[in-house]
Amino acid sequence: METLWDVALLGAPFTTLTYTLPEGFPHSLWQPGLRVWVPVGRALRPGVLLRPASSSLDPDKLKPLFWPLERAPLLSRDYLEMIEEMAKRVVQDSGAILAAALPAGLRSAKGALVAAGNKRERLSLDALRRLSETERKRWAELWSEGQAEWVLHDSEHRDSLQCFVKQDPPWQVRPQAKRQIAVLDYLWDKGSVNRGRLRHELGNWAGPVLDTLCDKALVEVAAPEECEPDSCSVASGLEDLVLSAEQSRALEGLRHAATQHQAALVHGVTGSGKTVVYAHLAREWLAGGRSVLLLVPEVALARQTLAAVRHFLPGERVYLYHGYQSPKQREKVFTELAGRDEPCVVVGTRSALFLPLRDTGLVVLDEEHAESFKQDERLVYQAKELAFFRVRQSQGFLVLGSATPDLKTFSAAREERLPKVTLQERVGASQLPEIDLVDLREEPPVAGPFAASVHQRLQEVLERGEQAIIMHNRRGYAPLVYCTGCGEVARCPDCEVGLTYHKRRQRLVCHYCGQHKEFPFVCPKCRASQFVPIGEGTELIEEYLSTSLPAGVRVDRLDRDSTRRQGRLEEILAAFSRGESQVLVGTQMLSKGHHFPGVTLAVVVDGDLGLNLPDYRAAERTFQMLVQVAGRAGRGDKPGHVLIQTRDPEHYCWEFVRRGDYEGFFEREAALRQRLSYPPYTKLALVRFSLPTEWEQGAETIREVGRFLRQAGKAAGLRVLGPAPAPLGQLRGRLRYHCLLKGESWQEMRTVYQQVRHRFFRVRQLRIQLDLDPVHMM
DNA sequence: AGCACGCCGACT
DNA sequence: GTCGGCGTGCTC
């Protein structure tokens, strides 16, 4: 009989600890996946039973776990298997993975009470701990028989209310009202947080300040929204389920692939109607009694896709899941799915891969090349890898879809490790747009950031009553400002990068660490306060077009700043798709999957922006983004046109973008990668490490880490490059370095990483992180 | 992350 | 002599 269990802690330090079992509960209760309260130090913490312990610890020295949180395990064995596999791959504790996977409400045990049947007996968690052994046992038996229940603290408490800013800056607040400004700034950065969190982060004074701001209607405090807006007013562009001949062939191809493979690639040009094909396939899998998971890279797309799925699959249970839902909402979806046996559809972003779907049949990863499918802050994981694991585990089928697949994915298809179906035609009357380069060396920008001919073209399009999108991947007003006193550029003191000027907010913002300074700003070098903006961001372009285009033309902006306020994104998209605005200026947010039939012109303000970054994927990324932007033009019945401004018209990327020639680009880029020994021809990992800027032993430690890595790497048959300062050499007051590992085996890389961590474990100033297959080298 | 333990400076 | 500052290290 197993009496020792390994429990993964759901809070820091996330380690797995071993406990004995308490008395009074039926033995059959103890199953993997059961959430429990365990004593850690003198506190109680939530954790998850992983497995009967194999360790040779002395049972007399172990504590008994305290109490189960539920009568049946929330998580299945398959689910735990997935978590543990993931933990192994990213070299982290299972508890850390679980904590990232579970919605907040399920990983934090709120102070709870035990109520007994119909009696009035109530016991707080603390009271329960103080009971005598016999009393505790009696309660355990009562609870086990269903005579007592956990009553979680009600969330109607004021601190659980969500707060969000209701107006875009600039805000009408006296400049002396520092606290009001601090609250507004905080909420603006975070989007929406609950009142408790706000008071915790800023201090208790935030409570009354919040009330003042509510009175001024600058901030709203509301109960977490319980339901998602059901339908989306943005046109989805998907009229019906009738398939073209090409789509039918693709569907047939996928059906066939599913009989002998675990996954397939749908390579379809923008506007070729991939979603309809997915919908058909989804319907078939549902009919077969299996669940369907539909993943898209962004929340806005998830909402659109939800509307389309509901339209196509009426009567099916469809769940939505993404990171911007309220914790309550996510908790509800999570628990409902964990207990659900009938098949259903889930539409969501990357985090939806962690949902406890019982029987995952079909998984669709749309826009599979998108970088948001790999997260790299808290937990480094690749959604594709996890999706693969899930379908393998459940004998399901994974569909990767894109107009511009990840080079790695396409190369797998080329080598016939991954079946591929292709969609080359746009559906309906629309055609792929014509794409032209505008050489800014010959035709320098005269109209704001635009060449004369581009501006001219824009005006013509608007005169005809058509719409245009302007893509520029830089938010804010100006990416740099320099001081007229000393000629220096204003820099972030912690990151050393230039500060971006945001005109509406009257702030200088560091786009890397998020800190901001008020503007006007006093130069730290010469005390002057006159600054001149250099370069242009979306805010400037919006302002420029609003004033230079004929009156009556409405210009809107779509970027992270303009969509911070809740519901703004939908408003902007809806206004554009109803034709109320004619020009939409934005960052790459514009390029993802939106369907605007009225758009006949797309302008890329600076095609070279991403091309010269120190990253082996710079060209791939630029190509993908430009093809996606181009894909927004000419989706209606009028032909589309794309203008790309560049100062480097000879770059090999352009001819392929112009012809919409993915395969050509692939050949060229793949050959380059092979020659330079980059993925997909080798495996790559970064060992990132950072240390405080002000640390005397910094330089010596960097050398030591490098020496150690080179030695350990060599022994493991890896090539080790570096250490080199990371492209963002200083961030948040820390120096950042990395070593690049090249080799054939992920496992060797993990081993080397563990060795270096072990070796420098005691050097507290040093933080070391592993990123297998990094998407960007920053 | 908590929360102890522990070793130095300013007070009754 | 005691209170308390936060550096260091552990939690089954």
Side-chain angles (χ1 to χ4, degrees):
Chain A
M1 197 164 89
E2 297 101 7
T3 51
L4 297 188
W5 279 78
D6 283 340
V7 178
L9 297 185
L10 289 174
F14 300 108
T15 40
T16 298
L17 303 177
T18 307
Y19 290 87
T20 62
L21 294 176
E23 287 178 48
F25 297 98
H27 187 251
S28 60
L29 173 70
W30 310 114
Q31 307 256 354
L34 191 80
R35 287 179 308 142
V36 292
W37 263 303
V38 290
V40 179
R42 59 171 48 199
L44 285 179
R45 303 281 195 83
V48 173
L49 290 192
L50 289 182
R51 65 188 96 71
S54 52
S55 78
S56 51
L57 290 166
D58 177 4
D60 293 337
K61 296 218 171 101
L62 301 180
K63 293 182 186 172
L65 66 84
F66 182 66
W67 207 279
L69 267 140
E70 54 216 359
R71 291 204 182 79
L74 174 72
L75 307 170
S76 69
R77 281 157 201 261
D78 277 353
Y79 191 86
L80 288 182
E81 190 195 348
M82 171 180 90
I83 295 290
E84 299 219 63
E85 170 66 22
M86 176 104 194
K88 223 181 279 164
R89 288 193 196 182
V90 301
V91 199
Q92 286 210 40
D93 288 307
S94 302
I97 314 288
L98 273 168
L102 300 186
L106 296 175
R107 60 170 194 261
S108 64
K110 295 159 246 172
L113 303 165
V114 181
N118 44 16
K119 286 186 224 150
R120 285 254 160 259
E121 278 185 284
R122 281 184 145 237
L123 275 182
S124 72
L125 204 52
D126 283 335
L128 201 54
R129 290 188 81 181
R130 289 193 300 266
L131 290 182
S132 70
E133 183 53 22
T134 43
E135 270 294 283
R136 204 200 52 81
K137 223 168 126 183
R138 186 175 73 85
W139 277 92
E141 277 155 19
L142 275 177
W143 181 86
S144 304
E145 288 157 14
Q147 303 280 313
E149 293 295 338
W150 286 113
V151 183
L152 297 180
H153 279 170
D154 65 331
S155 56
E156 289 313 296
H157 191 258
R158 273 188 94 192
D159 276 351
S160 69
L161 298 175
Q162 289 292 119
C163 316
F164 49 89
V165 182
K166 280 194 74 182
Q167 282 180 28
D168 288 339
W171 300 298
Q172 298 299 311
V173 183
R174 287 174 298 117
Q176 311 91 290
K178 291 274 186 268
R179 292 188 157 179
Q180 291 186 26
I181 293 169
V183 168
L184 285 166
D185 274 333
Y186 183 81
L187 289 177
W188 191 248
D189 285 342
K190 296 277 146 122
S192 149
V193 297
N194 65 46
R195 197 170 170 279
R197 170 87 184 271
L198 187 80
R199 296 204 323 175
H200 183 76
E201 300 277 325
L202 296 180
N204 280 333
W205 53 263
V209 170
L210 204 57
D211 296 336
T212 316
L213 291 169
C214 281
D215 291 342
K216 291 188 182 173
L218 286 170
V219 168
E220 190 168 307
V221 175
E225 207 182 320
E226 279 309 318
C227 58
E228 279 286 329
D230 212 47
S231 59
C232 202
S233 54
V234 179
S236 63
L238 302 157
E239 274 68 44
D240 52 47
L241 265 179
V242 180
L243 295 177
S244 69
E246 194 187 39
Q247 286 171 318
S248 303
R249 278 198 300 278
L251 181 62
E252 187 47 50
L254 289 174
R255 281 191 198 120
H256 179 72
T259 60
Q260 25 197 298
H261 289 90
Q262 221 92 74
L265 168 66
V266 179
H267 181 207
V269 297
T270 53
S272 60
K274 293 188 282 289
T275 314
V276 187
V277 177
Y278 304 150
H280 269 272
L281 205 59
R283 198 159 63 178
E284 292 170 12
W285 280 82
L286 286 164
R290 314 279 312 265
S291 287
V292 174
L293 190 51
L294 202 56
L295 299 171
V296 294
E298 280 179 10
V299 176
L301 280 179
R303 296 215 179 95
Q304 271 186 47
T305 309
L306 176 77
V309 168
R310 290 214 165 121
H311 173 74
F312 282 150
L313 305 169
E316 295 292 345
R317 185 75 178 94
V318 187
Y319 294 89
L320 178 68
Y321 193 82
H322 57 74
Y324 289 90
Q325 285 170 308
S326 73
K328 261 249 125 45
Q329 183 88 20
R330 283 202 277 173
E331 187 181 327
K332 192 168 157 239
V333 175
F334 196 100
T335 35
E336 220 171 297
L337 287 173
R340 187 186 171 94
D341 283 318
E342 299 81 51
C344 60
V345 184
V346 177
V347 175
T349 52
R350 185 187 58 217
S351 58
L353 265 176
F354 281 116
L355 286 171
L357 267 184
R358 281 284 175 86
D359 181 11
T360 316
L362 178 68
V363 179
V364 178
L365 215 78
D366 196 24
E367 312 285 352
E368 67 89 35
H369 65 280
E371 283 173 22
S372 60
F373 280 129
K374 179 163 180 183
Q375 160 173 323
D376 53 358
E377 304 245 299
R378 219 155 27 111
L379 171 66
V380 184
Y381 73 96
Q382 176 82 50
K384 225 175 290 176
E385 235 186 284
L386 190 53
F388 238 110
F389 180 84
R390 284 203 85 142
V391 297
R392 212 162 47 225
Q393 188 185 44
S394 64
Q395 302 289 304
F397 184 55
L398 172 64
V399 173
L400 303 171
S402 178
T404 51
D406 191 323
L407 233 71
K408 209 165 139 189
T409 309
F410 199 77
S411 114
R414 263 302 171 75
E415 293 165 11
E416 300 187 347
R417 286 180 283 133
L418 183 71
K420 176 183 79 168
V421 301
T422 308
L423 293 162
Q424 288 170 308
E425 302 157 14
R426 278 192 161 183
V427 289
S430 78
Q431 288 179 339
L432 284 171
E434 193 183 313
I435 301 174
D436 283 314
L437 290 181
V438 176
D439 185 349
L440 287 182
R441 293 173 312 187
E442 283 176 16
E443 237 196 297
V446 286
F450 302 102
S453 65
V454 175
H455 198 259
Q456 169 84 30
R457 194 54 176 264
L458 180 58
Q459 278 178 311
E460 286 164 15
V461 161
L462 296 174
E463 273 162 29
R464 288 200 298 268
E466 296 160 9
Q467 290 173 302
I469 57 175
I470 314 291
M471 222 281 308
H472 188 57
N473 215 1
R474 267 208 172 141
R475 58 195 181 86
Y477 192 84
L480 295 171
V481 291
Y482 81 91
C483 170
T484 49
C486 60
E488 289 282 319
V489 167
R491 291 183 190 282
C492 172
D494 293 336
C495 310
E496 294 237 296
V497 295
L499 293 168
T500 301
Y501 174 46
H502 286 244
K503 193 174 183 182
R504 284 188 72 129
R505 281 179 80 191
Q506 282 298 300
R507 287 286 199 300
L508 292 175
V509 183
C510 172
H511 280 187
Y512 293 93
C513 70
Q515 69 170 291
H516 35 71
K517 313 237 170 278
E518 275 181 55
F519 194 87
F521 170 77
V522 178
C523 177
K525 282 240 168 70
C526 70
R527 308 260 119 212
S529 59
Q530 288 286 90
F531 284 85
V532 177
I534 327 175
E536 53 267 327
T538 46
E539 207 185 338
L540 178 144
I541 297 172
E542 180 199 15
E543 182 190 84
Y544 172 77
L545 290 176
S546 301
T547 51
S548 73
L549 290 172
V553 172
R554 176 171 150 194
V555 181
D556 268 349
R557 173 161 57 96
L558 191 78
D559 57 27
R560 212 159 87 212
D561 302 308
S562 75
T563 57
R564 282 223 152 102
R565 222 174 76 212
Q566 222 159 47
R568 266 306 272 161
L569 175 72
E570 288 78 5
E571 278 169 40
I572 295 170
L573 289 174
F576 192 60
S577 86
R578 283 196 297 262
E580 288 159 25
S581 57
Q582 291 79 46
V583 180
L584 201 52
V585 179
T587 55
Q588 61 188 353
M589 271 177 100
L590 273 177
S591 65
K592 296 268 175 66
H594 304 295
H595 182 75
F596 307 122
V599 171
T600 57
L601 177 68
V603 175
V604 176
V605 178
D606 185 351
D608 313 326
L609 248 187
L611 220 43
N612 300 311
L613 295 174
D615 190 328
Y616 76 95
R617 295 187 61 239
E620 180 183 356
R621 202 175 298 141
T622 301
F623 176 82
Q624 283 164 340
M625 194 171 71
L626 292 181
V627 171
Q628 295 289 340
V629 179
R632 296 315 110 205
R635 290 173 82 103
D637 39 19
K638 294 191 190 119
H641 202 143
V642 181
L643 296 173
I644 301 173
Q645 302 195 127
T646 175
R647 289 195 160 79
D648 183 14
E650 280 83 37
H651 197 286
Y652 69 88
C653 197
W654 303 130
E655 61 169 301
F656 300 116
V657 171
R658 285 197 55 200
R659 295 202 304 260
D661 181 6
Y662 177 84
E663 299 214 13
F665 177 78
F666 174 84
E667 297 296 343
R668 173 78 199 248
E669 186 71 13
L672 200 66
R673 300 264 182 104
Q674 190 158 26
R675 204 167 65 236
L676 300 176
S677 183
Y678 271 112
Y681 300 98
T682 186
K683 292 186 169 68
L684 222 60
L686 276 182
V687 174
R688 308 173 193 276
F689 54 100
S690 70
L691 28 88
T693 327
E694 326 259 323
W695 188 39
E696 318 81 63
Q697 292 164 60
E700 176 52 28
T701 309
I702 293 162
R703 277 195 297 276
E704 257 179 68
V705 172
R707 211 178 306 137
F708 184 88
L709 272 171
R710 276 192 302 275
Q711 209 166 39
K714 198 172 166 192
L718 303 173
R719 287 179 60 197
V720 178
L721 296 134
L728 247 168
Q730 194 180 332
L731 189 68
R732 298 184 181 105
R734 299 181 66 85
L735 296 176
R736 306 164 81 238
Y737 282 78
H738 61 220
C739 284
L740 186 62
L741 314 185
K742 280 184 176 181
E744 302 308 316
S745 142
W746 295 125
Q747 198 45 51
E748 295 295 354
M749 295 180 182
R750 291 185 189 109
T751 310
V752 167
Y753 169 66
Q754 276 173 318
Q755 286 167 348
V756 74
R757 259 218 331 203
H758 185 252
R759 162 71 178 76
F760 292 94
F761 176 71
R762 292 181 312 138
V763 186
R764 284 178 325 281
Q765 290 89 341
L766 194 64
R767 273 185 224 154
I768 312 179
Q769 218 196 2
L770 174 69
D771 188 352
L772 294 172
D773 195 19
V775 276
H776 44 226
M777 316 291 271
M778 312 291 245

